[in-house]
Amino acid sequence: MSTHLLEVRGLHTLYGASHILHGVDLCIEPGQAVSLMGRNGMGKTTTLKSLLGVVTPRSGEVSFKGQRLDALPTWQRMRRGIAYVPEGRGMFHNLTVREHLQMANRPNDRGETQWDYDRVLALFPRLGERLDNLGTQLSGGEQQMLAIGRALLTNPDLLILDEATEGLAPLIRKEIWDVIRLIKQSGISTLIVDKNIQVLKTLCDQHVVLVKGRVAFSGNSQQLLENMSEVESYLSV
Amino acid sequence: MDLAIFLVQLLNGLQYGLLLFLIASGLTLVFGVMGILNLAHGSMYMVGAYLAWYFFQGTESFLFSAVISAVIALMLGVLIERTLICRMYKRNHLDQVLLTIGMIFVFNALQSLLWGNDPLGVDVPDALSGSLHLTGVVEYPVYRIFVALFCVAIAAALYFVINRTRLGMLIRAGESNREMVECLGVDISRLYTIVFGAGVMLATIAGVVAAPMASIVPGMGEHVLISCFVVVVIGGMGSIKGALVGALLVGVVDTFASVVVPDVASMIVYILMAVILLIKPQGLFSN
Ligand SMILES: Nc1ncnc2c1ncn2[C@@H]1O[C@H](COP(=O)(O)OP(=O)(O)O)[C@@H](O)[C@H]1O
Ligand SMILES: [Mg+2]
């Protein structure tokens, strides 16, 4: 019996004929924050989509809470306790802020409700002022908050964030990072794709760096510091 | 045209338009939410009329035949979605068109086999027979008024479900971003079954309530399908609001055309469609 929350082994994914992931491994322990880094086009988003079943890998294993997910459709994987904040935020153009939150809200697979509508609005007071706006009418930062709030309302054990601070002003970025720290403190495990290694090296417990669909570095924050120059060479353009 | 005739024709046009909306709303909903082009949608209207006739023969109760027809329609819709349509989501519109044209032939053959090809009719229910005095000389059939009000009630219910309920939120979200809906833990295939079943039921109910006003004949499904496509193209593919406006426009224009210019009446709605597409190529209310 493994104690891993999420375990990904030997993921191979292709888009048509182009082979994108070449055996990606990834592990997340309960309560941990794990970073997934790499230059643009290295396969970070593809890794996330593969483990969620949004794209179908050619081979590889995905387990969550000790149970295999490979054969399950995406929605059933999420129901086990995974939430996803996608690159680009995944707004619904025809839903208001309130509706984004209401449609997502459900207890977790143990019937518990740690996160409800009020708690999410307390975390993001700015959303409370814009409840009747369409999601697409919000600023980039507000959309990101809505995407995170919507994910939290599914009461996940694992929150996956893809480029959550991308394209935001520095002050808003800081706000988002603060929220992610709070989420981590609340006991939710996180898998964070981002470019900001300075924040990630202190925020996350484990780090994975992808180069052309392969894991080039994998280790804890101590190991990351020891191998910083090597890792930075994987990330620099 | 004197005022009395004008008024009666206007009512006829609105009533016909509302009935068209009932059918077209299902077509546009299924296309907008699921991306499925269902050419067999008109056949569901035909099925509704024939079912109404069939059960009316056995029971003489219009209400009973309407309810049981609607229930059968819902089951039929769910069955068709689960066995055939569900294979079409990852395919292109051409494949969908081929499948659903095939379904038209199947439904027509079944109709011919089960009920023959002679025109059939259903009596107006007793409680809704007779006419209403509108002004001094103008009378209007109660049943037509009932159909118009019934369609308005269904339109209102549809509006409520789509805009005010959680199911409606999920349907709209699925229309916007299917993948994201699944990533929130929602079983979108169940949602699609519900939407398709509802679409079939709307068309079938339209066939049922039209049965006492129209003669029930082979080919009635194709005829109404073409009108519905005009409605949906005018309104904007996938837009319910567009279907309502388009249906009322087509209903009124078609009705007046057949009175004012009977020789070319059948062309007029297509000219209307062409003009609207010239001004708004995506239709009046496209997303
Ligand atoms: N839908 C797709 N079809 C074909 N190729 C794709 C698709 N999505 C991504 N790719 C390619 O896969 C590679 C990895 O992309 P991605 O996982 O998005 O990278 P990252 O998130 O690390 O920037 C890139 O070369 C990209 O061009
Ligand atoms: Mg990416």
Side-chain angles (χ1 to χ4, degrees):
Chain A
M1 258 313 278
S2 71
T3 61
H4 308 304
L5 180 68
L6 179 81
E7 187 177 4
V8 175
R9 289 277 166 247
L11 221 46
H12 283 263
T13 300
L14 290 81
Y15 287 120
S18 53
H19 200 152
I20 306 295
L21 298 187
H22 302 264
V24 171
D25 298 330
L26 189 79
C27 241
I28 302 176
E29 310 305 327
Q32 270 193 344
V34 175
S35 74
L36 181 59
M37 294 178 276
R39 287 197 293 267
N40 279 337
M42 289 302 166
K44 304 180 296 293
T45 300
T46 305
T47 300
L48 302 183
K49 287 187 173 178
S50 300
L51 74 90
L52 295 176
V54 173
V55 301
T56 312
R58 166 161 301 182
S59 60
E61 294 175 10
V62 182
S63 306
F64 187 64
K65 299 179 183 170
Q67 288 178 313
R68 291 285 291 272
L69 296 184
D70 317 61
L72 299 180
T74 299
W75 71 271
Q76 283 184 10
R77 300 184 191 204
M78 311 318 273
R79 289 248 156 195
R80 302 276 171 102
I82 306 177
Y84 179 43
V85 176
E87 201 172 8
R89 297 149 198 152
M91 294 289 104
F92 301 117
H93 74 269
N94 45 9
L95 261 62
T96 63
V97 169
R98 181 185 280 110
E99 289 173 332
H100 274 85
L101 298 174
Q102 284 173 344
M103 62 87 67
N105 194 7
R106 62 176 154 85
N108 66 15
D109 54 348
R110 301 176 293 282
E112 302 160 351
T113 317
Q114 259 94 36
W115 290 90
D116 58 19
Y117 190 72
D118 292 336
R119 185 169 174 197
V120 165
L121 289 186
L123 183 64
F124 299 116
R126 295 166 62 151
L127 293 182
E129 295 158 19
R130 311 212 52 184
L131 286 172
D132 292 315
N133 286 99
L134 291 175
T136 44
Q137 290 170 334
L138 303 183
S139 71
E142 289 166 338
Q143 286 188 11
Q144 198 63 60
M145 294 172 191
L146 182 55
I148 295 174
R150 178 178 64 181
L152 287 173
L153 277 170
T154 68
N155 285 287
D157 297 308
L158 172 63
L159 178 65
I160 298 178
L161 298 146
D162 194 355
E163 311 268 16
T165 63
E166 174 96 352
L168 301 182
L171 265 168
I172 311 285
R173 270 182 198 221
K174 189 181 168 301
E175 252 180 80
I176 299 285
W177 283 123
D178 289 344
V179 163
I180 294 173
R181 267 188 211 95
L182 266 170
I183 291 169
K184 190 194 170 191
Q185 280 160 19
S186 81
I188 298 175
S189 305
T190 49
L191 175 56
I192 307 171
V193 171
D194 206 277
K195 303 243 156 37
N196 193 335
I197 191 170
Q198 296 312 320
V199 177
L200 291 173
K201 73 180 181 194
T202 56
L203 174 65
C204 293
D205 309 290
Q206 293 284 329
H207 308 271
V208 176
V209 178
L210 290 184
V211 175
K212 292 187 180 161
R214 288 187 170 82
V215 175
F217 171 87
S218 174
N220 60 28
S221 296
Q222 182 62 35
Q223 290 162 322
L224 180 73
L225 290 179
E226 285 161 10
N227 296 281
M228 202 45 133
S229 56
E230 179 198 344
V231 167
E232 277 178 336
S233 76
Y234 297 141
L235 301 180
S236 61
V237 188
Chain B
M1 188 187 301
D2 69 24
L3 190 66
I5 295 178
F6 176 84
L7 192 61
V8 167
Q9 293 306 330
L10 183 66
L11 285 172
N12 277 341
L14 290 174
Q15 179 265 309
Y16 173 50
L18 284 165
L19 191 70
L20 269 181
F21 166 73
L22 207 54
I23 316 166
S25 61
L27 187 69
T28 208
L29 191 66
V30 165
F31 180 81
V33 176
M34 303 161 56
I36 292 285
L37 208 51
N38 179 17
L39 295 189
H41 193 71
S43 303
M44 302 302 150
Y45 170 78
M46 173 195 76
V47 167
Y50 275 94
L51 282 179
W53 174 82
Y54 177 74
F55 287 111
F56 190 71
Q57 298 313 297
T59 62
E60 296 287 317
S61 162
F62 184 74
L63 182 65
F64 174 79
S65 28
V67 170
I68 191 137
S69 303
V71 171
I72 290 176
L74 184 62
M75 294 192 301
L76 185 66
V78 168
L79 183 75
I80 292 173
E81 196 278 337
R82 283 290 81 205
T83 54
L84 298 171
I85 301 295
C86 67
R87 294 164 206 282
M88 292 292 122
Y89 298 132
K90 294 205 167 81
R91 291 171 178 255
N92 58 33
H93 286 317
L94 182 60
D95 288 348
Q96 299 170 3
V97 163
L98 288 176
L99 171 75
T100 54
I101 284 185
M103 284 163 52
I104 294 180
F105 290 124
V106 172
F107 280 115
N108 283 349
L110 283 175
Q111 162 262 310
S112 175
L113 216 65
L114 291 172
W115 294 306
N117 292 328
D118 296 335
L120 305 170
V122 172
D123 295 338
V124 172
D126 285 341
L128 299 170
S129 60
S131 293
L132 214 66
H133 267 282
L134 293 185
T135 65
V137 287
V138 186
E139 289 197 353
Y140 201 73
V142 171
Y143 187 72
R144 283 181 178 268
I145 294 174
F146 160 76
V147 169
L149 293 178
F150 178 77
C151 292
V152 169
I154 298 272
L158 207 55
Y159 178 87
F160 178 81
V161 170
I162 290 189
N163 291 298
R164 294 279 180 273
T165 67
R166 188 180 164 102
L167 175 67
M169 282 177 214
L170 294 177
I171 287 172
R172 279 180 287 138
E175 188 178 350
S176 172
N177 189 342
R178 171 186 177 148
E179 203 172 281
M180 193 61 227
V181 172
E182 292 187 280
C183 284
L184 290 164
V186 175
D187 180 4
I188 199 125
S189 60
R190 210 188 68 187
L191 211 60
Y192 283 6
T193 307
I194 293 171
V195 169
F196 193 83
V200 165
M201 198 164 77
L202 287 170
T204 309
I205 289 176
V208 171
V209 296
M213 300 186 297
S215 60
I216 303 167
V217 289
M220 64 190 291
E222 288 91 297
H223 186 257
V224 83
L225 176 75
I226 294 171
S227 303
C228 279
F229 264 104
V230 173
V231 164
V232 167
V233 168
I234 286 178
M237 296 287 287
S239 164
I240 303 258
K241 199 197 293 173
L244 181 60
V245 174
L248 290 174
L249 258 176
V250 168
V252 170
V253 169
D254 195 41
T255 303
F256 275 99
S258 55
V259 175
V260 180
V261 282
D263 293 340
V264 292
S266 57
M267 282 167 52
I268 297 292
V269 288
Y270 300 102
I271 295 173
L272 171 72
M273 177 172 81
V275 169
I276 287 176
L277 289 187
L278 277 176
I279 302 164
K280 294 206 78 172
Q282 302 290 315
L284 295 174
F285 291 90
S286 61
N287 303 326

